[in-house]
mmCIF file of all heavy atoms in Angstrom:
data_model
loop_
_atom_site.group_PDB
_atom_site.id
_atom_site.type_symbol
_atom_site.label_atom_id
_atom_site.label_comp_id
_atom_site.label_asym_id
_atom_site.label_seq_id
_atom_site.Cartn_x
_atom_site.Cartn_y
_atom_site.Cartn_z
ATOM 1 N N SER A 83 -7.330 -1.718 -12.860
ATOM 2 C CA SER A 83 -6.803 -1.456 -11.541
ATOM 3 C C SER A 83 -5.268 -1.287 -11.473
ATOM 4 O O SER A 83 -4.735 -1.019 -10.404
ATOM 5 C CB SER A 83 -7.233 -2.622 -10.671
ATOM 6 O OG SER A 83 -6.408 -3.760 -10.873
ATOM 7 N N PHE A 84 -4.613 -1.480 -12.651
ATOM 8 C CA PHE A 84 -3.170 -1.334 -12.603
ATOM 9 C C PHE A 84 -2.781 0.166 -12.926
ATOM 10 O O PHE A 84 -3.063 0.641 -13.997
ATOM 11 C CB PHE A 84 -2.513 -2.267 -13.687
ATOM 12 C CG PHE A 84 -1.053 -2.324 -13.641
ATOM 13 C CD1 PHE A 84 -0.346 -2.453 -12.412
ATOM 14 C CD2 PHE A 84 -0.284 -2.275 -14.825
ATOM 15 C CE1 PHE A 84 1.050 -2.491 -12.422
ATOM 16 C CE2 PHE A 84 1.089 -2.248 -14.807
ATOM 17 C CZ PHE A 84 1.792 -2.388 -13.598
ATOM 18 N N VAL A 85 -2.269 0.752 -11.953
ATOM 19 C CA VAL A 85 -2.041 2.243 -11.992
ATOM 20 C C VAL A 85 -1.231 2.703 -13.222
ATOM 21 O O VAL A 85 -1.660 3.669 -13.879
ATOM 22 C CB VAL A 85 -1.391 2.746 -10.681
ATOM 23 C CG1 VAL A 85 -1.061 4.221 -10.688
ATOM 24 C CG2 VAL A 85 -2.431 2.480 -9.479
ATOM 25 N N PRO A 86 -0.138 2.119 -13.542
ATOM 26 C CA PRO A 86 0.614 2.612 -14.704
ATOM 27 C C PRO A 86 -0.142 2.536 -15.997
ATOM 28 O O PRO A 86 -0.046 3.390 -16.968
ATOM 29 C CB PRO A 86 1.814 1.603 -14.819
ATOM 30 C CG PRO A 86 2.013 1.151 -13.375
ATOM 31 C CD PRO A 86 0.665 1.051 -12.836
ATOM 32 N N SER A 134 -10.401 3.368 -3.276
ATOM 33 C CA SER A 134 -8.901 3.062 -3.157
ATOM 34 C C SER A 134 -8.201 4.122 -2.433
ATOM 35 O O SER A 134 -8.465 5.370 -2.601
ATOM 36 C CB SER A 134 -8.333 2.896 -4.562
ATOM 37 O OG SER A 134 -6.965 2.966 -4.471
ATOM 38 N N SER A 135 -7.164 3.691 -1.694
ATOM 39 C CA SER A 135 -6.257 4.633 -1.016
ATOM 40 C C SER A 135 -5.506 5.471 -2.048
ATOM 41 O O SER A 135 -4.900 6.465 -1.672
ATOM 42 C CB SER A 135 -5.303 3.841 -0.089
ATOM 43 O OG SER A 135 -4.662 2.812 -0.782
ATOM 44 N N GLU A 136 -5.445 5.033 -3.348
ATOM 45 C CA GLU A 136 -4.860 5.902 -4.424
ATOM 46 C C GLU A 136 -5.528 7.269 -4.410
ATOM 47 O O GLU A 136 -4.893 8.239 -4.923
ATOM 48 C CB GLU A 136 -4.983 5.205 -5.745
ATOM 49 C CG GLU A 136 -3.806 4.321 -6.139
ATOM 50 C CD GLU A 136 -2.563 5.088 -6.569
ATOM 51 O OE1 GLU A 136 -2.688 6.004 -7.396
ATOM 52 O OE2 GLU A 136 -1.493 4.774 -6.077
ATOM 53 N N TYR A 158 -6.055 6.771 -12.788
ATOM 54 C CA TYR A 158 -6.779 5.767 -12.046
ATOM 55 C C TYR A 158 -7.323 6.339 -10.769
ATOM 56 O O TYR A 158 -8.474 6.184 -10.381
ATOM 57 C CB TYR A 158 -5.787 4.593 -11.691
ATOM 58 C CG TYR A 158 -6.316 3.650 -10.633
ATOM 59 C CD1 TYR A 158 -7.243 2.584 -11.003
ATOM 60 C CD2 TYR A 158 -5.951 3.717 -9.345
ATOM 61 C CE1 TYR A 158 -7.700 1.729 -10.065
ATOM 62 C CE2 TYR A 158 -6.383 2.880 -8.324
ATOM 63 C CZ TYR A 158 -7.327 1.827 -8.741
ATOM 64 O OH TYR A 158 -7.810 1.049 -7.794
ATOM 65 N N LEU A 185 -9.990 1.032 0.364
ATOM 66 C CA LEU A 185 -9.139 -0.063 0.710
ATOM 67 C C LEU A 185 -7.613 0.334 0.382
ATOM 68 O O LEU A 185 -7.362 0.816 -0.751
ATOM 69 C CB LEU A 185 -9.534 -1.353 0.072
ATOM 70 C CG LEU A 185 -10.496 -2.173 0.860
ATOM 71 C CD1 LEU A 185 -11.698 -1.374 1.337
ATOM 72 C CD2 LEU A 185 -10.938 -3.427 0.127
ATOM 73 N N PHE A 186 -6.735 0.063 1.306
ATOM 74 C CA PHE A 186 -5.336 0.154 1.032
ATOM 75 C C PHE A 186 -4.851 -1.170 0.399
ATOM 76 O O PHE A 186 -5.589 -2.058 0.256
ATOM 77 C CB PHE A 186 -4.527 0.460 2.388
ATOM 78 C CG PHE A 186 -4.755 1.849 2.868
ATOM 79 C CD1 PHE A 186 -6.075 2.380 3.186
ATOM 80 C CD2 PHE A 186 -3.694 2.745 2.930
ATOM 81 C CE1 PHE A 186 -6.255 3.650 3.523
ATOM 82 C CE2 PHE A 186 -3.881 3.981 3.253
ATOM 83 C CZ PHE A 186 -5.116 4.545 3.594
ATOM 84 N N ASN A 187 -3.601 -1.187 -0.069
ATOM 85 C CA ASN A 187 -3.038 -2.324 -0.926
ATOM 86 C C ASN A 187 -3.326 -3.617 -0.197
ATOM 87 O O ASN A 187 -2.864 -3.742 1.036
ATOM 88 C CB ASN A 187 -1.616 -2.121 -1.182
ATOM 89 C CG ASN A 187 -1.284 -0.880 -2.027
ATOM 90 O OD1 ASN A 187 -1.757 0.157 -1.633
ATOM 91 N ND2 ASN A 187 -0.605 -1.073 -3.056
ATOM 92 N N ARG A 193 -2.641 -12.553 -6.538
ATOM 93 C CA ARG A 193 -2.425 -11.209 -7.028
ATOM 94 C C ARG A 193 -1.887 -11.228 -8.479
ATOM 95 O O ARG A 193 -1.138 -12.118 -8.848
ATOM 96 C CB ARG A 193 -1.394 -10.507 -6.107
ATOM 97 C CG ARG A 193 -1.155 -9.049 -6.381
ATOM 98 C CD ARG A 193 -2.369 -8.189 -6.260
ATOM 99 N NE ARG A 193 -2.117 -6.918 -5.636
ATOM 100 C CZ ARG A 193 -2.820 -5.829 -5.935
ATOM 101 N NH1 ARG A 193 -3.775 -5.881 -6.811
ATOM 102 N NH2 ARG A 193 -2.535 -4.713 -5.315
ATOM 103 N N GLU A 196 1.511 -8.292 -12.444
ATOM 104 C CA GLU A 196 2.025 -6.942 -12.700
ATOM 105 C C GLU A 196 2.167 -6.025 -11.417
ATOM 106 O O GLU A 196 2.923 -5.082 -11.454
ATOM 107 C CB GLU A 196 1.115 -6.225 -13.714
ATOM 108 C CG GLU A 196 -0.293 -5.972 -13.281
ATOM 109 C CD GLU A 196 -1.291 -7.130 -13.480
ATOM 110 O OE1 GLU A 196 -0.890 -8.291 -13.332
ATOM 111 O OE2 GLU A 196 -2.552 -6.847 -13.768
ATOM 112 N N PHE A 197 1.566 -6.425 -10.336
ATOM 113 C CA PHE A 197 1.685 -5.597 -9.111
ATOM 114 C C PHE A 197 2.950 -5.992 -8.388
ATOM 115 O O PHE A 197 3.442 -7.147 -8.439
ATOM 116 C CB PHE A 197 0.476 -5.858 -8.292
ATOM 117 C CG PHE A 197 -0.819 -5.472 -8.905
ATOM 118 C CD1 PHE A 197 -1.598 -6.456 -9.601
ATOM 119 C CD2 PHE A 197 -1.256 -4.197 -8.950
ATOM 120 C CE1 PHE A 197 -2.752 -6.035 -10.295
ATOM 121 C CE2 PHE A 197 -2.390 -3.762 -9.634
ATOM 122 C CZ PHE A 197 -3.159 -4.727 -10.254
ATOM 123 N N VAL A 198 3.473 -5.023 -7.613
ATOM 124 C CA VAL A 198 4.855 -5.173 -7.124
ATOM 125 C C VAL A 198 5.050 -6.407 -6.255
ATOM 126 O O VAL A 198 6.105 -7.053 -6.290
ATOM 127 C CB VAL A 198 5.414 -3.833 -6.555
ATOM 128 C CG1 VAL A 198 4.847 -3.571 -5.127
ATOM 129 C CG2 VAL A 198 6.918 -3.856 -6.518
ATOM 130 N N THR A 199 4.129 -6.702 -5.344
ATOM 131 C CA THR A 199 4.338 -7.801 -4.384
ATOM 132 C C THR A 199 4.452 -9.122 -5.174
ATOM 133 O O THR A 199 5.357 -9.887 -4.929
ATOM 134 C CB THR A 199 3.100 -7.971 -3.407
ATOM 135 O OG1 THR A 199 1.968 -7.961 -4.195
ATOM 136 C CG2 THR A 199 3.060 -6.787 -2.451
ATOM 137 N N LYS A 201 5.104 -9.400 -8.445
ATOM 138 C CA LYS A 201 6.308 -9.366 -9.277
ATOM 139 C C LYS A 201 7.567 -9.777 -8.490
ATOM 140 O O LYS A 201 8.445 -10.526 -9.018
ATOM 141 C CB LYS A 201 6.439 -7.958 -9.836
ATOM 142 C CG LYS A 201 7.582 -7.798 -10.776
ATOM 143 C CD LYS A 201 7.599 -6.387 -11.416
ATOM 144 C CE LYS A 201 8.811 -6.197 -12.323
ATOM 145 N NZ LYS A 201 8.867 -4.820 -12.912
ATOM 146 N N ARG A 218 14.058 -6.612 -12.249
ATOM 147 C CA ARG A 218 14.133 -5.163 -12.507
ATOM 148 C C ARG A 218 12.956 -4.539 -11.854
ATOM 149 O O ARG A 218 11.789 -4.871 -12.019
ATOM 150 C CB ARG A 218 14.069 -4.936 -14.050
ATOM 151 C CG ARG A 218 15.207 -5.502 -14.825
ATOM 152 C CD ARG A 218 15.241 -5.058 -16.236
ATOM 153 N NE ARG A 218 15.923 -3.851 -16.414
ATOM 154 C CZ ARG A 218 17.287 -3.733 -16.479
ATOM 155 N NH1 ARG A 218 18.035 -4.710 -16.355
ATOM 156 N NH2 ARG A 218 17.817 -2.483 -16.626
ATOM 157 N N LEU A 219 13.224 -3.539 -11.074
ATOM 158 C CA LEU A 219 12.155 -2.771 -10.300
ATOM 159 C C LEU A 219 12.302 -1.321 -10.492
ATOM 160 O O LEU A 219 13.416 -0.814 -10.870
ATOM 161 C CB LEU A 219 12.209 -3.202 -8.820
ATOM 162 C CG LEU A 219 11.834 -4.633 -8.421
ATOM 163 C CD1 LEU A 219 12.147 -4.894 -7.050
ATOM 164 C CD2 LEU A 219 10.362 -4.884 -8.795
ATOM 165 N N GLY A 220 11.195 -0.558 -10.201
ATOM 166 C CA GLY A 220 11.169 0.881 -10.252
ATOM 167 C C GLY A 220 11.571 1.489 -8.901
ATOM 168 O O GLY A 220 12.599 1.157 -8.315
ATOM 169 N N ASN A 221 10.703 2.303 -8.412
ATOM 170 C CA ASN A 221 10.998 3.116 -7.227
ATOM 171 C C ASN A 221 10.932 2.265 -5.949
ATOM 172 O O ASN A 221 9.853 1.756 -5.575
ATOM 173 C CB ASN A 221 9.883 4.256 -7.131
ATOM 174 C CG ASN A 221 10.062 5.110 -5.883
ATOM 175 O OD1 ASN A 221 11.073 4.996 -5.124
ATOM 176 N ND2 ASN A 221 9.001 5.951 -5.716
ATOM 177 N N LEU A 222 12.096 2.171 -5.302
ATOM 178 C CA LEU A 222 12.112 1.281 -4.050
ATOM 179 C C LEU A 222 11.720 2.041 -2.832
ATOM 180 O O LEU A 222 11.635 1.471 -1.686
ATOM 181 C CB LEU A 222 13.570 0.661 -3.912
ATOM 182 C CG LEU A 222 14.098 -0.229 -5.011
ATOM 183 C CD1 LEU A 222 15.477 -0.714 -4.584
ATOM 184 C CD2 LEU A 222 13.111 -1.304 -5.331
ATOM 185 N N ALA A 224 9.035 4.102 -2.379
ATOM 186 C CA ALA A 224 7.577 4.273 -2.091
ATOM 187 C C ALA A 224 7.173 3.409 -0.943
ATOM 188 O O ALA A 224 7.697 2.229 -0.752
ATOM 189 C CB ALA A 224 6.778 3.931 -3.320
ATOM 190 N N ARG A 226 3.936 1.565 1.227
ATOM 191 C CA ARG A 226 2.481 1.139 1.130
ATOM 192 C C ARG A 226 2.106 0.451 2.398
ATOM 193 O O ARG A 226 2.916 -0.135 3.104
ATOM 194 C CB ARG A 226 2.315 0.206 -0.017
ATOM 195 C CG ARG A 226 2.416 0.785 -1.381
ATOM 196 C CD ARG A 226 1.272 1.716 -1.725
ATOM 197 N NE ARG A 226 1.352 2.272 -3.048
ATOM 198 C CZ ARG A 226 2.050 3.371 -3.380
ATOM 199 N NH1 ARG A 226 2.707 3.992 -2.489
ATOM 200 N NH2 ARG A 226 2.049 3.850 -4.650
ATOM 201 N N TRP A 228 0.429 -2.607 3.267
ATOM 202 C CA TRP A 228 0.087 -3.897 2.608
ATOM 203 C C TRP A 228 -0.626 -4.874 3.578
ATOM 204 O O TRP A 228 -0.021 -5.174 4.612
ATOM 205 C CB TRP A 228 1.310 -4.624 2.033
ATOM 206 C CG TRP A 228 1.836 -4.064 0.736
ATOM 207 C CD1 TRP A 228 1.227 -4.117 -0.520
ATOM 208 C CD2 TRP A 228 3.123 -3.457 0.448
ATOM 209 N NE1 TRP A 228 2.023 -3.603 -1.478
ATOM 210 C CE2 TRP A 228 3.189 -3.143 -0.889
ATOM 211 C CE3 TRP A 228 4.235 -3.070 1.227
ATOM 212 C CZ2 TRP A 228 4.287 -2.584 -1.513
ATOM 213 C CZ3 TRP A 228 5.279 -2.489 0.673
ATOM 214 C CH2 TRP A 228 5.322 -2.257 -0.693
ATOM 215 N N VAL A 260 8.996 -0.327 -0.567
ATOM 216 C CA VAL A 260 9.188 -1.370 -1.573
ATOM 217 C C VAL A 260 10.476 -2.058 -1.233
ATOM 218 O O VAL A 260 10.641 -3.348 -1.311
ATOM 219 C CB VAL A 260 9.166 -0.860 -2.986
ATOM 220 C CG1 VAL A 260 9.476 -1.959 -4.027
ATOM 221 C CG2 VAL A 260 7.826 -0.243 -3.248
ATOM 222 N N LEU A 285 10.810 2.281 -15.040
ATOM 223 C CA LEU A 285 9.580 1.809 -14.400
ATOM 224 C C LEU A 285 9.035 2.858 -13.377
ATOM 225 O O LEU A 285 8.045 2.548 -12.685
ATOM 226 C CB LEU A 285 9.881 0.466 -13.637
ATOM 227 C CG LEU A 285 10.240 -0.698 -14.629
ATOM 228 C CD1 LEU A 285 10.852 -1.907 -13.801
ATOM 229 C CD2 LEU A 285 9.067 -1.106 -15.398
ATOM 230 N N ARG A 287 7.003 6.118 -12.207
ATOM 231 C CA ARG A 287 5.768 6.650 -12.667
ATOM 232 C C ARG A 287 5.784 8.136 -12.935
ATOM 233 O O ARG A 287 6.586 8.819 -12.251
ATOM 234 C CB ARG A 287 4.606 6.294 -11.684
ATOM 235 C CG ARG A 287 4.515 4.833 -11.505
ATOM 236 C CD ARG A 287 3.517 4.353 -10.443
ATOM 237 N NE ARG A 287 3.500 2.914 -10.463
ATOM 238 C CZ ARG A 287 2.722 2.081 -9.793
ATOM 239 N NH1 ARG A 287 1.800 2.691 -8.994
ATOM 240 N NH2 ARG A 287 2.816 0.793 -9.886
ATOM 241 N N GLU A 290 4.219 9.916 -8.529
ATOM 242 C CA GLU A 290 4.223 8.740 -7.578
ATOM 243 C C GLU A 290 3.410 9.116 -6.337
ATOM 244 O O GLU A 290 3.216 10.236 -5.928
ATOM 245 C CB GLU A 290 5.729 8.443 -7.157
ATOM 246 C CG GLU A 290 5.867 7.272 -6.185
ATOM 247 C CD GLU A 290 5.429 5.935 -6.672
ATOM 248 O OE1 GLU A 290 4.123 5.680 -6.637
ATOM 249 O OE2 GLU A 290 6.265 5.085 -7.063
ATOM 250 N N VAL A 291 2.815 8.068 -5.763
ATOM 251 C CA VAL A 291 2.240 8.140 -4.402
ATOM 252 C C VAL A 291 3.305 7.678 -3.431
ATOM 253 O O VAL A 291 3.663 6.439 -3.453
ATOM 254 C CB VAL A 291 0.976 7.274 -4.321
ATOM 255 C CG1 VAL A 291 0.389 7.197 -2.884
ATOM 256 C CG2 VAL A 291 -0.087 7.830 -5.212
ATOM 257 N N LEU A 294 1.562 5.657 1.902
ATOM 258 C CA LEU A 294 0.206 5.388 2.311
ATOM 259 C C LEU A 294 0.261 4.598 3.644
ATOM 260 O O LEU A 294 1.075 3.669 3.795
ATOM 261 C CB LEU A 294 -0.490 4.543 1.179
ATOM 262 C CG LEU A 294 -0.834 5.145 -0.130
ATOM 263 C CD1 LEU A 294 -1.434 4.280 -1.126
ATOM 264 C CD2 LEU A 294 -1.752 6.453 0.145
HETATM 265 N N1 GDD B 402 3.939 -2.553 -10.246
HETATM 266 C C1 GDD B 402 5.204 -2.219 -9.921
HETATM 267 N N2 GDD B 402 6.273 -2.714 -10.622
HETATM 268 N N3 GDD B 402 5.336 -1.341 -8.865
HETATM 269 C C2 GDD B 402 6.591 -1.063 -8.589
HETATM 270 C C3 GDD B 402 7.727 -1.495 -9.295
HETATM 271 C C4 GDD B 402 7.549 -2.425 -10.294
HETATM 272 O O1 GDD B 402 8.430 -2.919 -10.952
HETATM 273 N N4 GDD B 402 8.826 -0.953 -8.698
HETATM 274 C C5 GDD B 402 8.458 -0.173 -7.696
HETATM 275 N N5 GDD B 402 7.101 -0.178 -7.681
HETATM 276 C C6 GDD B 402 6.292 0.647 -6.733
HETATM 277 C C7 GDD B 402 5.306 1.570 -7.456
HETATM 278 O O2 GDD B 402 5.988 2.706 -7.983
HETATM 279 C C8 GDD B 402 4.322 1.855 -6.317
HETATM 280 O O3 GDD B 402 4.759 2.945 -5.520
HETATM 281 C C9 GDD B 402 4.414 0.570 -5.433
HETATM 282 O O4 GDD B 402 5.517 -0.194 -5.968
HETATM 283 C C10 GDD B 402 3.164 -0.287 -5.470
HETATM 284 O O5 GDD B 402 2.808 -0.525 -6.822
HETATM 285 P P1 GDD B 402 1.739 -1.588 -7.259
HETATM 286 O O6 GDD B 402 1.925 -2.890 -6.561
HETATM 287 O O7 GDD B 402 1.634 -1.559 -8.738
HETATM 288 O O8 GDD B 402 0.370 -1.049 -6.561
HETATM 289 P P2 GDD B 402 -0.258 0.479 -6.517
HETATM 290 O O9 GDD B 402 -0.043 0.968 -5.042
HETATM 291 O O10 GDD B 402 0.178 1.343 -7.592
HETATM 292 O O11 GDD B 402 -1.761 0.190 -6.689
HETATM 293 C C11 GDD B 402 -2.482 -0.918 -6.041
HETATM 294 O O12 GDD B 402 -3.019 -0.441 -4.866
HETATM 295 C C12 GDD B 402 -4.048 0.499 -4.927
HETATM 296 C C13 GDD B 402 -4.467 0.867 -3.515
HETATM 297 O O13 GDD B 402 -3.565 1.728 -2.924
HETATM 298 C C14 GDD B 402 -3.487 -1.479 -7.040
HETATM 299 O O14 GDD B 402 -4.083 -2.603 -6.477
HETATM 300 C C15 GDD B 402 -4.641 -0.385 -7.103
HETATM 301 O O15 GDD B 402 -5.718 -0.905 -7.905
HETATM 302 C C16 GDD B 402 -5.193 -0.049 -5.743
HETATM 303 O O16 GDD B 402 -6.223 0.909 -5.833
#
Side-chain angles (χ1 to χ4, degrees):
S83 76
F84 187 45
V85 173
S134 164
S135 51
E136 267 284 312
Y158 167 83
L185 269 53
F186 285 63
N187 298 52
R193 187 58 143 149
E196 64 274 35
F197 299 95
V198 75
T199 51
K201 183 173 173 182
R218 302 188 84 79
L219 292 172
N221 179 10
L222 298 186
R226 291 290 182 276
W228 279 294
V260 175
L285 295 170
R287 298 175 180 187
E290 179 63 282
V291 172
L294 291 174

